[in-house]
Amino acid sequence: MKHILHPLKFKPILKNKIWGGEKLIQKFNKKSDSKQLGESWEVSTVPGDISIVENGELQGKSLQELLEEHASDLLGEKNYERFGNNFPLLIKFIDAKQDLSIQLHPDDALAKKRHNSFGKTEMWYVMQADDDANLIVGFNQKTDKETYLKHLEDNTLTKILNFDSVKEGDTYFIEAGRVHAIGAGVLLAEIQQTSDVTYRVYDWDRVDDEGNERELHNDIAIDAFKFDMEDDFKIAYKKQENVSNPMVSCPFFTTNYIEINSEIVKKNDKDSFLIYMCVDGEVEVLTDNRTDRIAKGETLLIPAVIKDFKLKTKGAKLLEVYV
């Protein structure tokens, strides 16, 4: 039987990390007893971590099954032509109790060649940050391969990295090839290409419970660096209420910011699915004869075939994502 697609809420895929904490549990009500919960994967088709629907008639179905059964009705026609049965995005919430490793990701060409994977261009929206919390994005000076390798060898890499203090609402666009790290005390939403390929270049000399350092990838990472990038990674955006405010638009995804305090009518004319990440408050999504709700720290995917719906709330902030 071919089900009719409806808005899809998925069971979070929870990831313990050496640097994780408890904010995803305390602030977003994720179900875990872990003291080191680092990530909640909200929408994923990464092999081994495929999202399962937890709402409506399609409950229990995997996102991969739905892609294969519904094709362009789910993705949109142009996206289906481009990606086939591969979902192009991985959607996460991340809690860094400790600093993440300094890292970067390969672009599509390098990732395809080495890992048969998409590359990883991503963006961050800061949902909460402790006092003095920061992110590392890019370099604080003009840097080339030789300069970088000298600092890496001398264990002085942090001297040439750009540290930004952050607060709620700060937004960063991290293109493949740009060095970066999430700092301790930062809780954020992450939108990225479907890829789990990370090149770790420095991990603060950290060891696990058994005294082992995590693997570094400096031998292959050097080819992934793009040292000539502009310092255009921090995103300025408007916050006009009850409309979609552009944040990031790139070949891999578009993200808008919506701050709502009433009911608004939405029309999907994008030939794409829409993903809503609730980053504050809660909102009802009304389609045909059903209502779905998402609260802060939850995500909803609206298939491309659903063209008309309403967003209704007394107060919410959303990230609206499509390809």
Side-chain angles (χ1 to χ4, degrees), residues 9-135:
K9 198 171 178 179
F10 298 100
K11 183 178 180 182
I13 299 167
L14 303 179
K15 299 278 186 177
N16 290 336
K17 298 288 184 178
I18 193 171
W19 42 259
E22 297 176 86
K23 288 180 184 176
L24 295 172
I25 302 164
Q26 296 165 350
K27 295 181 180 294
F28 299 165
N29 202 30
K30 303 298 179 186
K31 305 300 182 190
S32 173
D33 296 324
S34 174
K35 305 289 187 190
Q36 292 186 310
L37 185 62
E39 299 182 348
S40 176
W41 290 19
E42 299 287 304
V43 183
S44 169
T45 54
V46 172
D49 288 300
I50 295 176
S51 294
I52 304 295
V53 179
E54 69 171 9
N55 69 324
E57 291 177 27
L58 297 169
Q59 185 175 358
K61 287 265 189 181
S62 76
L63 178 52
Q64 193 62 53
E65 285 178 273
L66 295 180
L67 284 168
E68 290 163 11
E69 289 175 12
H70 299 280
S72 60
D73 281 355
L74 178 57
L75 285 182
E77 289 181 13
K78 287 180 183 173
N79 285 336
Y80 189 69
E81 287 173 16
R82 180 177 172 190
F83 301 109
N85 290 331
N86 299 302
F87 195 76
L89 298 181
L90 174 56
I91 304 294
K92 303 177 181 177
F93 294 110
I94 298 178
D95 170 27
K97 186 175 182 180
Q98 298 179 27
D99 294 326
L100 271 68
S101 62
I102 297 168
Q103 58 188 243
L104 73 158
H105 309 289
D107 62 16
D108 275 357
L110 193 57
K112 178 71 175 171
K113 179 181 171 184
R114 286 181 174 170
H115 312 284
N116 195 29
S117 168
F118 290 123
K120 184 173 171 183
T121 285
E122 61 190 305
M123 68 165 282
W124 296 333
Y125 173 89
V126 176
M127 295 177 67
Q128 184 269 333
D130 297 348
D131 292 344
D132 303 322
N134 59 47
L135 302 171

